[in-house]
Amino acid sequence: MKIVHTIDDLRAQLRGQLRTAFVPTMGNLHEGHMSLMRLAAKHGDPVVASVFVNRLQFGPNEDFDRYPRTLEADTKKLEAEGVYVLFAPDEREMYPVPQEFRVAPPGDLGDILEGHFRPGFFVGVSTVVLKLFHCVSPQVAVFGKKDYQQLMVIRRMAQQFSLPTEIIPAETIRAEDGLALSSRNVYLSEDERREAPNLYRLLQETQSIIREVNPAKPEAIKALETEQQMKLSERGWKPDYFSIRLRSTLQNASADDLTKGEALVVLAAARLGGTRLIDNLEI
Ligand code: AMP
């Protein structure tokens, strides 16, 4: 595996490649990330991974400084997986001058859910992904459904800018007890780690009861969301949202959508102690 730290070296390594498959990450790699590498290998060659903790997507009171940085271990994992190039730029390489040009997603997609609770998050994500795409020139790029809204933002960005990169979604990889793998899981105490899978259990419970909701009662979906959110609070979580949305647009699902059998997704974000976890399930 070639490890490159500059955009010039990256471009030199990839010159002439027409089927590059790209997986951007922030490092501290786990099995979820590795499944993306494997999926990328099915869709292109060579596979290029990036590890870059992108300051632009962190709010002032978020965990940028303490985000786990484990480049040596990440390198070994990517090497073992047969990744061809690891792009690991430092901040001066990605942002040699302040990044004044930014990509602003439309509010109906970028300012809801995660975007509401993390203002500027999707501007930071879109900006770095567009920049990374220009460095790598991938034909395909893989993004996890774990970050469902992020996947949709990137997809719509790729469409609206006519990017020559196909966006491929990857399923969420979970621990045996159901907890979605995440770099942030390392923040959890032993007790919190035991509690954490209950977020997924509530999503599953929602999946099993959503079709019993009476579409004749317009308030029924809202009531179910509130009920599930209260269960999290009672267990000591501090929920940001627990929300049933249309898969196609991430707008709220109406009773009419239920009747029509529209494809739905339930998305949740909640803090457990000092750790903010997100998860979702297509229902
Ligand atoms: P991150 O390093 O957290 O920015 O994530 C990099 C990529 O890995 C994103 O496309 C995430 O959606 C994806 N990802 C993170 N966790 C998982 C998981 N448990 N299963 C599948 N993909 C994941």
Side-chain angles (χ1 to χ4, degrees), residues 24-26 30 32-33 36 67 143-144 146-147 171-173 181:
T25 81
M26 296 207 300
H30 50 64
H33 297 112
L36 269 54
Y67 197 85
F143 288 84
K146 159 75 168 44
D147 301 283
E171 295 303 324
T172 301
I173 304 297
L181 299 188

Side-chain angles (χ1 to χ4, degrees), residues 23-37 50 52 57 67 142-148 150-151 168 170-175 179-185:
V23 184
T25 81
M26 296 207 300
N28 192 236
L29 302 180
H30 50 64
E31 261 309 299
H33 297 112
M34 300 327 283
S35 77
L36 269 54
M37 305 298 159
S50 66
F52 179 63
Q57 71 192 65
Y67 197 85
V142 182
F143 288 84
K145 285 192 192 176
K146 159 75 168 44
D147 301 283
Y148 204 87
Q150 169 174 286
L151 166 66
I168 298 179
E171 295 303 324
T172 301
I173 304 297
R174 300 177 179 282
L179 174 65
L181 299 188
S182 164
S183 305
R184 291 192 166 96
N185 292 351

Side-chain angles (χ1 to χ4, degrees), residues 1 29 34 37 74-83 86:
M1 184 172 75
L29 302 180
M34 300 327 283
M37 305 298 159
D74 294 347
T75 305
K76 288 196 183 119
K77 288 178 189 168
L78 294 170
E79 181 115 55
E81 201 57 61
V83 167
L86 164 60

Side-chain angles (χ1 to χ4, degrees), residues 140-262:
V140 304
V142 182
F143 288 84
K145 285 192 192 176
K146 159 75 168 44
D147 301 283
Y148 204 87
Q149 189 178 4
Q150 169 174 286
L151 166 66
M152 295 195 53
V153 167
I154 300 300
R155 266 197 168 144
R156 216 193 274 183
M157 176 179 81
Q159 268 167 9
Q160 293 195 7
F161 283 120
S162 302
L163 302 184
T165 305
E166 184 191 347
I167 308 301
I168 298 179
E171 295 303 324
T172 301
I173 304 297
R174 300 177 179 282
E176 258 178 41
D177 58 12
L179 174 65
L181 299 188
S182 164
S183 305
R184 291 192 166 96
N185 292 351
V186 298
Y187 301 150
L188 298 169
S189 70
E190 252 177 60
D191 283 352
E192 288 163 355
R193 176 63 190 79
R194 264 193 296 278
E195 172 59 27
N198 284 308
L199 182 60
Y200 182 53
R201 285 186 202 127
L202 272 181
L203 296 174
Q204 286 179 304
E205 187 184 272
T206 309
Q207 180 184 47
S208 69
I209 56 185
I210 183 70
R211 301 293 164 190
E212 294 159 22
V213 167
N214 183 354
K217 285 196 190 155
E219 288 312 302
I221 295 179
K222 189 95 231 107
L224 175 58
E225 291 172 343
T226 307
E227 192 184 323
Q228 300 301 63
Q229 193 160 323
M230 268 169 52
K231 286 184 197 163
L232 278 176
S233 302
E234 280 160 13
R235 301 191 67 92
W237 297 66
K238 294 204 169 51
D240 278 347
Y241 58 84
F242 193 104
S243 193
I244 296 165
R245 302 281 170 132
L246 290 173
R247 275 188 228 175
S248 53
T249 59
L250 289 192
Q251 297 307 302
N252 281 304
S254 66
D256 199 35
D257 294 321
L258 263 190
T259 322
K260 283 195 278 185
E262 292 286 349

Side-chain angles (χ1 to χ4, degrees), residues 114-156:
E114 282 302 284
H116 176 77
F117 287 96
R118 303 183 67 188
F121 173 67
F122 287 117
V123 172
V125 168
S126 307
T127 302
V128 79
V129 168
L130 187 66
K131 191 155 180 171
L132 287 167
F133 279 9
H134 278 115
C135 300
V136 176
S137 301
Q139 193 177 60
V140 304
V142 182
F143 288 84
K145 285 192 192 176
K146 159 75 168 44
D147 301 283
Y148 204 87
Q149 189 178 4
Q150 169 174 286
L151 166 66
M152 295 195 53
V153 167
I154 300 300
R155 266 197 168 144
R156 216 193 274 183

